[in-house]
Every structure is written in structure tokens, then in C-alpha cells.
Amino acid sequence: QVQLVESGGGLVQAGGSLRLACAASGRSLTSYAMAWFRQSPGKEREFVSYINRSGTGKYYADSVKGRFTISRDNAKNTVYLQMNSLKPEDTAVYYCAAGPYYSTTAQYDYWGQGTQVTVSS
């Protein structure tokens, strides 16, 4: 079992930055690909980014490409999402996920509880 806890969300003005963190416990994250998803009220959960086990492979949704950066520190068992040039449409609850394979769909075995990101205009 893997427990994931997100942190770093908050309220920020448009154009600002936030860094989300996803800390894992229970097992080493080196066995898992990691991803970030987000969900806004009334919308389905949306893929944001994934990173492979070694950190050498990354992929981003078109809506965040060039603004968000995913990274991982396997020694700290933590995955990050650096979010720059934030827009009001980035407002959502952000979830991290872990699974044996990377995917843009929600086919991950473990999920965090989410952290709220609100971007004001």
C-alpha cells in the first residue's frame, strides 16, 4: 500500500506560481510512475502530467505545457508539480497518483486526497 499526501495548494493571483508536493509513505516511489490530475466543480478529472519511474520521461497536457513542470525526488519519496504563469482556468483540486505504468488516463492504483488551487483574475 502507498499513501499519498499532497500539499502546497492555495490562493494565488493570475500570473503567479505555486509548487505542489506529493509525499508518499508505505512503499518506495521508485516502483511507480507518478502523475498529477485535476478536477474542477462539475467537470471530469483531467490529466495534467506524468513522470516515469526514473524521472527521465515526462508528459504534459497541452493546456499546461510550457507552464508546469513535473519532477520527482526518489530519495525523498516525493513528486512535485511546479506551476508557473497560472491562469484562472487552472483552478481545481489537484491530485497525485501512483501506478506501475504511466498513462494519461486515470488508471493509477493509488491516489492522494487532493489539494485546492485557486487562481484569481
Side-chain angles (χ1 to χ4, degrees):
Q1 287 286 345
V2 176
Q3 292 78 44
L4 303 173
V5 178
E6 301 95 335
S7 62
L11 174 63
V12 64
Q13 288 188 333
S17 298
L18 284 174
R19 189 174 83 152
L20 305 183
C22 173
S25 61
R27 294 189 68 177
S28 171
L29 283 186
T30 55
S31 301
Y32 300 97
M34 301 295 297
W36 288 95
F37 288 76
R38 65 187 183 186
Q39 188 168 20
S40 303
K43 295 186 177 181
E44 293 187 352
R45 192 166 295 189
E46 172 191 25
F47 166 79
V48 175
S49 179
Y50 68 61
I51 186 168
N52 67 1
R53 300 178 192 182
S54 65
T56 57
K58 305 174 185 180
Y59 186 79
Y60 300 93
D62 287 343
S63 58
V64 306
K65 198 174 297 182
R67 299 188 298 121
F68 290 11
T69 302
I70 191 171
S71 62
R72 65 191 298 162
D73 186 336
N74 286 338
K76 294 183 178 180
N77 235 24
T78 301
V79 175
Y80 304 96
L81 186 69
Q82 178 67 44
M83 305 186 297
N84 299 329
S85 302
L86 282 162
K87 305 175 181 180
E89 50 263 44
D90 294 319
T91 295
V93 177
Y94 284 71
Y95 300 89
C96 70
Y101 308 106
Y102 52 79
S103 170
T104 60
T105 62
Q107 296 176 0
Y108 290 84
D109 295 338
Y110 304 102
W111 293 82
Q113 82 292 344
T115 185
Q116 176 70 47
V117 171
T118 303
V119 184
S120 63
S121 57

